[in-house]
Amino acid sequence: MYTPYSQSVLRHNQILIWLCVLSFFSVLNEMVLNVSLPDIAHDFNKAPASTNWVNTAFMLTFSIGTAVYGKLSDQLGIKKLLLFGIIVNCIGSLIGFTGHHFFPILILARLIQGVGAAAFPSLVMVVVARYIPKENRGKAFGLIGSIVAMGEGIGPAIGGTIAHYIHWSYLLLIPIVTFITVPFLMKLLKEEETIKGSFDVAGIIFMSIGIVFFMLFTTSYKMTFLVISILFLLIFLKHITRVSNPFVEPSLGKNASFMIGILCGGLIFGTVAGYVSMVPYMMKDVYQLNTAMIGSMVIFPGTMSVLIFGYIGGLLVDKKGPLSVLTLGIVFISFSFIVSAFFMGMTPWLITITFVFVFGGLSFAKTVISTVVSSSLKQEEAGAGMSLLNFTSFLSEGTGIAIVGGLLSIRLLDQKFLPIISDPSTYLYSNMLLLFTGVIVSSWLLTMTVYKRL
């Protein structure tokens, strides 16, 4: 016979289990298609600039959605929003799978998937905070974090295997598994009291248009797109100073150290995301590896290493300080890029090894950026500030993927700059890695200059 206490514990555990299932299968959607980008490019006869929109489209609506769901949770309730996100994500999956022969439909499906999937990182943590007892929240957050990292880690291996032996379109169906959580979460989660409030729809529209046209500029390099992007972003900046409940709090723009922190973090995260999107093309062109090998032999060890480096990074921040850990992370990333650039074409195992250190360095950088950015915020700015950090981090990853796709397509860097490189098929990728190194090191120097003064 269950006591009220044991029933409560059972309910909390059940909620946590289904949140883990939801988090695991939803996060696979971010990584599984990356390894298949060359196959998609081949099937549609598209350049990387267009093909990379398969990931960019998802990250675009995903990044904006994470901020929107967070702001709506008090007004509409977690239960309704979580159900909405799951259903929309599944609808996007079905549209993408059934219409995968048509590239515009595929991009539309990824946009829809991003709208739905954005609910998960925003709301899952809120559910834990509201439903799990305070003494167990640390374990719950840690468990979900590990599940998410595991999903991101094995995503490339699953994606590469399915794409190689079946077809990449079946990867679009993976998020449908999250629908099994609906009846359980609807039963376990309570109906919540909601509060009335205004929502800055116009601000979201202005900002979204500006971001979309900037990404279109990086795809085609048409100056018209850049002009439209700048115009709408300026309108957005003017708009948020005039409304009572802006989508982005304008007062944060006056906090110079905070803005520099999210800028540098965005450059680092976007560069690594762009590199990850480039690796499948590189492994196909230079090493002639198939999709299954790229996913399981090259990318998988690196993504799984995050589990180890994330734990180590947290310990080092407390012992050595955040800036020392950031420096170590930047050394990992930049050294890996330089080694890969100078010895491109020797063996694919070199890329596998350096990939581990790129993700290790990224794990260190993410830990540090979160730490130093939060330290630059006043207590009353913490909520809005960290929300903006999450938004810009996701958005920068999508932007990095778009920019790298454009650079791979115009092939401006497809020239022999390094005398040590003799194979023409490696010129473009070697030079791209040197460019990545420059961006990473510049971001580190700016971060160190600003935060050493604090």
Side-chain angles (χ1 to χ4, degrees):
M1 182 177 179
Y2 290 108
T3 64
Y5 175 77
S6 62
Q7 287 179 334
S8 176
V9 171
L10 178 62
R11 181 166 172 268
H12 294 154
N13 290 339
Q14 288 176 332
I15 290 174
L16 186 57
I17 288 171
W18 290 113
L19 289 180
C20 287
V21 172
L22 181 63
S23 299
F24 177 78
F25 283 100
S26 62
V27 80
L28 285 178
N29 207 25
E30 296 180 44
M31 295 296 296
V32 291
L33 278 172
N34 182 73
V35 72
S36 302
L37 290 176
D39 295 337
I40 298 173
H42 178 267
D43 287 356
F44 289 104
N45 193 27
K46 297 282 187 181
S50 298
T51 308
N52 277 20
W53 268 88
V54 172
N55 277 354
T56 297
F58 177 86
M59 293 304 300
L60 175 64
T61 51
F62 182 83
S63 59
I64 296 172
T66 52
V68 171
Y69 282 112
K71 286 182 174 292
L72 286 177
S73 60
D74 290 331
Q75 298 179 27
L76 299 180
I78 298 173
K79 190 173 181 177
K80 292 178 182 177
L81 288 176
L82 199 56
L83 176 61
F84 174 81
I86 294 171
I87 292 175
V88 170
N89 195 23
C90 293
I91 290 173
S93 297
L94 290 173
I95 292 174
F97 180 73
T98 56
H100 73 270
H101 295 292
F102 304 96
F103 192 71
I105 294 180
L106 176 62
I107 299 302
L108 174 63
R110 292 293 282 169
L111 287 167
I112 295 172
Q113 280 188 324
V115 171
F120 307 139
S122 300
L123 302 177
V124 164
M125 295 305 177
V126 179
V127 172
V128 172
R130 293 187 183 179
Y131 284 86
I132 304 300
K134 189 173 182 179
E135 62 271 17
N136 295 326
R137 285 176 196 166
K139 294 178 182 178
F141 283 128
L143 178 60
I144 292 175
S146 298
I147 293 295
V148 168
M150 186 182 300
E152 292 176 339
I154 68 175
I158 293 175
T161 301
I162 293 177
H164 180 69
Y165 292 105
I166 307 177
H167 192 261
W168 58 262
S169 60
Y170 285 87
L171 299 173
L172 294 163
L173 293 177
I174 289 178
I176 292 180
V177 178
T178 61
F179 196 76
I180 66 173
T181 65
V182 170
F184 301 99
L185 290 176
M186 292 305 101
K187 179 181 178 182
L188 294 168
L189 299 181
K190 301 175 182 178
E191 291 291 342
E192 299 175 303
E193 292 184 7
T194 57
I195 58 175
K196 293 182 179 180
S198 60
F199 191 69
D200 187 13
V201 177
I204 295 174
I205 293 174
F206 293 145
M207 183 190 67
S208 299
I209 294 174
I211 292 170
V212 168
F213 274 94
F214 176 76
M215 290 185 173
L216 288 172
F217 166 72
T218 66
T219 301
S220 62
Y221 289 95
K222 292 182 179 179
M223 291 304 298
T224 304
F225 290 153
L226 182 60
V227 171
I228 295 174
S229 171
I230 294 173
L231 176 62
F232 272 92
L233 290 176
L234 289 174
I235 293 174
F236 167 71
L237 292 176
K238 187 70 175 178
H239 168 80
I240 61 176
T241 63
R242 295 180 172 181
V243 295
S244 58
N245 187 26
F247 181 64
V248 175
E249 182 55 53
S251 62
L252 292 172
K254 300 176 183 178
N255 188 334
S257 57
F258 168 77
M259 296 303 296
I260 293 295
I262 63 172
L263 170 64
C264 294
L267 288 172
I268 295 170
F269 305 155
T271 300
V272 174
Y275 166 70
V276 173
S277 72
M278 184 184 81
V279 166
Y281 296 108
M282 182 172 69
M283 303 311 291
K284 288 260 186 181
D285 292 346
V286 177
Y287 300 101
Q288 290 76 52
L289 295 185
N290 62 48
T291 307
M293 291 187 68
I294 296 172
S296 58
M297 305 283 289
V298 179
I299 300 180
F300 173 70
T303 52
M304 287 304 294
S305 71
V306 172
L307 290 170
I308 300 173
F309 281 102
Y311 177 73
I312 295 173
L315 294 177
L316 289 177
V317 166
D318 293 333
K319 291 184 178 181
K320 302 294 184 179
L323 295 184
S324 297
V325 176
L326 177 63
T327 301
L328 182 60
I330 297 302
V331 169
F332 281 170
I333 298 172
S334 56
F335 184 73
S336 298
F337 285 165
I338 291 173
V339 169
S340 299
F342 276 84
F343 298 98
M344 179 71 63
M346 288 185 60
T347 171
W349 293 109
L350 177 66
I351 305 301
T352 301
I353 295 171
T354 57
F355 208 84
V356 170
F357 285 96
V358 168
F359 267 81
L362 176 64
S363 182
F364 284 5
K366 283 188 172 182
T367 301
V368 172
I369 292 297
S370 297
T371 302
V372 298
V373 166
S374 63
S375 68
S376 67
L377 294 168
K378 300 175 183 177
Q379 186 173 358
E380 62 271 18
E381 297 175 327
M386 296 308 290
S387 176
L388 182 59
L389 173 63
N390 289 331
F391 163 67
T392 55
S393 297
F394 290 130
L395 181 62
S396 64
E397 292 177 3
T399 305
I401 293 170
I403 291 174
V404 167
L407 291 174
L408 290 177
S409 298
I410 63 173
R411 305 186 76 85
L412 181 66
L413 298 176
D414 194 7
Q415 303 178 45
K416 185 174 182 177
F417 292 149
L418 295 176
I420 194 174
I421 302 295
S422 58
D423 184 356
S425 69
T426 66
Y427 294 167
L428 175 61
Y429 301 108
S430 179
N431 294 332
M432 289 282 285
L433 286 165
L434 294 179
L435 176 63
F436 295 161
T437 304
V439 175
I440 291 291
V441 172
S442 299
S443 302
W444 168 74
L445 288 173
L446 183 57
T447 305
M448 296 295 288
T449 301
V450 171
Y451 284 95
K452 267 191 173 181
R453 299 173 181 173
L454 299 180

